[in-house]
Amino acid sequence: MAVSDEQPVGIDELLERVRAGYARVEPHKAYEAARAGEALLVDIRYAALRERDGLIPGAVVVERNELEWRLDPQGSHRLPEATGHDLRIVVICNEGYASSLAAASLHQLGLRRATDLVGGFQAWRAEGLPVTR
């Protein structure tokens, strides 16, 4: 087992580091990009939150534990929407924390245009953007 000289970081520092690697998107910008066909919205919230709060129309629901397998353009379990590494993906969680880590993971797969929604689903809803039950 290799020994690392790197010091452990807390979650706040980790979030700061991964978010520095890409530009996050605000709710209205994500909405417009999705409407224009320029971005794929991916909802990673777990079922209980989706049932409680509703869904974003047109967003693809992918459980967090399946995200990389479903969006890897080279993977055998990919979604039909996972057409290439140049796909712009906006990952949406409940409040915009888990989605940052998910977007960073997608970057490691070569999906360099992956980003996440600032404030998550709660910010989307607070902005009065479309939600279905």
Side-chain angles (χ1 to χ4, degrees), residues 27 52-54 56 120-131 133:
R52 182 188 78 189
D53 295 337
I56 295 172
F121 178 86
Q122 297 305 323
W124 178 281
R125 185 171 64 177
E127 291 289 323
L129 294 168
V131 174
R133 286 282 177 178

Side-chain angles (χ1 to χ4, degrees), residues 19-97:
R19 288 172 175 169
Y22 61 90
R24 301 178 78 209
V25 64
E26 297 288 337
H28 279 282
K29 295 284 188 187
Y31 174 71
E32 292 301 327
R35 282 191 59 199
E38 298 170 356
L40 176 66
L41 303 181
V42 179
D43 187 343
I44 64 169
R45 294 174 301 140
Y46 53 89
L49 288 177
R50 294 191 312 268
E51 290 168 11
R52 182 188 78 189
D53 295 337
L55 298 168
I56 295 172
V60 176
V61 174
V62 179
E63 296 283 341
R64 174 61 190 100
N65 62 329
E66 298 179 354
L67 186 69
E68 291 81 1
W69 285 267
R70 299 291 187 228
L71 293 178
D72 178 3
Q74 299 174 340
S76 60
H77 293 85
R78 72 181 174 275
L79 294 172
E81 295 89 349
T83 56
H85 286 94
D86 60 343
L87 180 65
R88 184 174 180 205
I89 299 166
V90 179
V91 182
I92 303 165
C93 68
N94 195 48
E95 295 182 343
Y97 296 101

Side-chain angles (χ1 to χ4, degrees), residues 2-25:
V3 178
S4 173
D5 291 334
E6 192 172 316
Q7 295 296 314
V9 298
I11 189 62
D12 292 333
E13 184 176 339
L14 179 60
L15 281 171
E16 186 177 314
R17 287 182 186 184
V18 300
R19 288 172 175 169
Y22 61 90
R24 301 178 78 209
V25 64

